[in-house]
Amino acid sequence: MENKHFSYDKAISRIEEILQVLESGEKGMDELSELVKEAAELVKQCKGKLRMTEEEINKALNQEDDN
């Protein structure tokens, strides 16, 4: 279920933070595993948000075409 307070921009920022941590190589394997899981969930939520936005835009454009 998608969080009603989900912020695409905040999720992208967090993914970028995680990427920097992963690239630094400073964390242990257990923490890296958790960060990768977090990033994967954020990517999934972002994809869902993009799909919903695309559907809303298409719906709005189709309504315009009908008028």
Side-chain angles (χ1 to χ4, degrees), residues 1-6 44-46 48-50 52:
M1 176 182 283
E2 189 170 336
N3 185 345
K4 289 185 179 186
H5 302 290
F6 175 77
K44 180 180 173 182
Q45 290 178 351
C46 287
K49 180 71 169 181
L50 289 171
M52 281 181 29

Side-chain angles (χ1 to χ4, degrees), residues 21 23 45 62:
V21 170
E23 289 175 340
Q45 290 178 351
N62 287 336

Side-chain angles (χ1 to χ4, degrees), residues 23-60:
E23 289 175 340
S24 74
E26 296 176 4
K27 301 293 180 181
M29 186 57 68
D30 291 334
E31 191 170 357
L32 289 176
S33 177
E34 290 302 314
L35 289 171
V36 169
K37 289 176 188 177
E38 180 184 354
E41 182 59 32
L42 289 169
V43 167
K44 180 180 173 182
Q45 290 178 351
C46 287
K47 285 181 177 180
K49 180 71 169 181
L50 289 171
R51 266 189 239 104
M52 281 181 29
T53 302
E54 181 180 28
E55 290 172 9
E56 290 171 0
I57 290 170
N58 286 334
K59 189 175 182 178

